[in-house]
Amino acid sequence: QVQLVESGGGLVQAGGSLRLSCAASARTINTMGWYRQAPGKQRELVARITSGGSTNYADSVKGRFTISRDNAKNTVYLQMNSLKPEDTAVYYCNLVDFLDKGFWGQGTQVIVSS
């Protein structure tokens, strides 16, 4: 069973920064990414990165968030700068392996105060 362990969430003022980390127990990882879900809203893609390093971002975070991964550590990071109150959500790590199976982390809360 693949396990994803997230860390780095918390409370920050608007304009501040946070860095999320997600360490995976899987060895055959294709895509890793971050999704978020705000209260009363659907879960949405924030950013993802393939095994080859290709990335894509939600329009709302482009220029502010950066996703990266350390393949040797099976870890994905999300550097979040210039945070806004609308970034407040539970952030979930996602992994898709080369068999196209998907796995989710337990979620980490990010709260941005105005």
Side-chain angles (χ1 to χ4, degrees):
Q1 180 70 16
V2 172
Q3 290 188 329
L4 300 173
V5 180
E6 300 151 338
S7 61
L11 172 65
V12 65
Q13 287 189 331
S17 298
L18 284 174
R19 188 190 193 211
L20 305 183
S21 299
C22 173
S25 62
R27 294 183 179 180
T28 56
I29 302 171
N30 186 4
T31 302
M32 298 188 80
W34 291 93
Y35 289 70
R36 66 187 180 187
Q37 187 166 17
K41 295 188 176 181
Q42 289 190 333
R43 192 173 297 188
E44 62 175 3
L45 172 70
V46 177
R48 60 186 169 205
I49 183 168
T50 68
S51 57
S54 298
T55 59
N56 62 295
Y57 295 89
D59 288 342
S60 59
V61 307
K62 283 180 181 177
R64 300 188 298 121
F65 291 11
T66 302
I67 190 169
S68 61
R69 66 190 280 177
D70 184 334
N71 290 329
K73 296 181 179 179
N74 292 335
T75 299
V76 64
Y77 306 96
L78 186 69
Q79 178 66 43
M80 304 186 293
N81 299 329
S82 302
L83 282 160
K84 304 175 181 180
E86 50 264 44
D87 294 318
T88 294
V90 178
Y91 284 70
Y92 295 92
C93 179
N94 174 263
L95 175 160
V96 178
D97 67 15
F98 284 102
L99 298 176
D100 247 2
K101 289 184 66 176
F103 303 90
W104 292 95
Q106 79 283 359
T108 184
Q109 178 74 58
V110 171
I111 299 174
V112 184
S113 63
S114 56

